[in-house]
């Protein structure tokens, strides 16, 4: 379980079938072999640790369902170690189980904020509500507006400085995780 508060922007060193190696010494301070690390919102198990970098075994299914396959050496990624019991949840509860990918369709600056509009797959759009939470590449964000299958996010300077969001441009593919509470409420209501 994660909070969606990115600990560090890491750098991909190796991406190959079945394996990902990422450098991120700050995010690994609390991680041991077998521990979980969120990489752009994807929960991966640290299979090997080596001087500020970790390797994870990545299943073909994970590469198919997320944006990880598009990464290459030098790609910047959001990193967050798993929460420990008693840790502060500064964002919202994020599982690291990506529900789908979206595409950035517009980016515009307004004052000290940057608006980012992202298409959301139709089966996920129904869970998106204004002032609700969504994890984008593992970052806990608040939805500012929803129009059909497009969610709009207004990002503060800190988010832009401490995550990969500052690099989003139209066409960027992002990992999306819908708020787990929204999924549980929808499941409960549909079973009644």
């Amino acid at each position: 379980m994660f909070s969606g508060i990115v600990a560090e922007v890491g750098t991909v060193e190796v991406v190959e079938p079945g394996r990902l190696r990422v450098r991120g010494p700050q995010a690994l301070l609390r991680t041991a072999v077998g521990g979980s690390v969120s990489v752009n919102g994807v929960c991966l198990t640290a299979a090997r640790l080596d001087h500020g970098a970790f390797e994870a075994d990545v299943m073909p299914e994970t590469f198919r369902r997320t944006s990880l396959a598009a990464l290459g050496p030098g790609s910047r990624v959001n990193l967050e170690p798993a929460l420990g019991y008693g840790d502060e949840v500064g964002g919202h509860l994020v599982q690291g189980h990506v529900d789908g990918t979206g595409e950035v369709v517009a980016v515009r600056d307004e004052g000290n904020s940057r608006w980012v509009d992202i298409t959301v797959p139709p089966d996920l759009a129904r869970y998106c509500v204004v002032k609700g939470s969504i994890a984008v590449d593992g970052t806990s964000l608040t939805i500012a507006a929803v129009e059909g299958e497009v969610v709009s996010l207004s990002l503060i300077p800190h988010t832009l400085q401490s995550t990969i969001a500052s690099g989003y441009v139209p066409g960027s593919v992002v990992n999306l995780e819908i708020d787990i509470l929204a999924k549980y409420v929808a499941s409960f209501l549909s079973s009644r």
Side-chain angles (χ1 to χ4, degrees):
M1 192 67 75
F2 306 93
S3 71
I5 302 299
V6 173
E8 175 180 19
V9 173
T11 305
V12 173
E13 295 184 338
V14 176
V15 180
E16 56 189 33
R19 185 171 81 109
L20 181 69
R21 179 178 169 85
V22 178
R23 178 152 305 281
Q26 294 303 309
L28 297 178
L29 290 176
R30 294 183 0 190
T31 304
V33 170
S36 296
V37 179
S38 170
V39 178
N40 279 1
V42 180
C43 179
L44 297 177
T45 300
R48 290 164 289 290
L49 296 174
D50 177 31
H51 305 296
F54 76 97
E55 290 186 19
D57 300 314
V58 183
M59 300 179 297
E61 177 72 357
T62 302
F63 278 131
R64 278 192 299 272
R65 289 188 174 265
T66 70
S67 67
L68 294 184
L71 299 174
S75 294
R76 295 168 20 104
V77 290
N78 290 330
L79 299 176
E80 180 188 356
L83 287 171
Y85 283 102
D87 285 351
E88 177 183 344
V89 179
H92 72 282
L93 293 177
V94 177
Q95 294 181 296
H97 304 162
V98 172
D99 292 307
T101 58
E103 183 178 330
V104 174
V105 292
V107 176
R108 63 194 177 283
D109 292 327
E110 179 185 32
N112 67 343
S113 69
R114 178 168 298 160
W115 286 87
V116 178
D117 297 342
I118 300 171
T119 58
V120 177
D123 59 322
L124 302 181
R126 70 189 198 105
Y127 300 107
C128 297
V129 297
V130 173
K131 306 299 181 209
S133 297
I134 189 169
V136 178
D137 282 336
T139 305
S140 174
L141 298 170
T142 302
I143 298 170
V146 178
E147 186 152 336
E149 294 168 7
V150 175
V151 297
S152 296
L153 311 164
S154 182
L155 307 182
I156 63 173
H158 178 78
T159 300
L160 295 170
Q161 293 165 0
S162 59
T163 72
I164 64 171
S166 62
Y168 291 163
V169 296
S172 296
V173 176
V174 296
N175 292 318
L176 302 172
E177 183 181 327
I178 301 304
D179 183 10
I180 187 67
L181 296 176
K183 290 188 278 190
Y184 277 124
V185 168
S187 175
F188 174 75
L189 292 175
S190 69
S191 68
R192 294 185 66 170

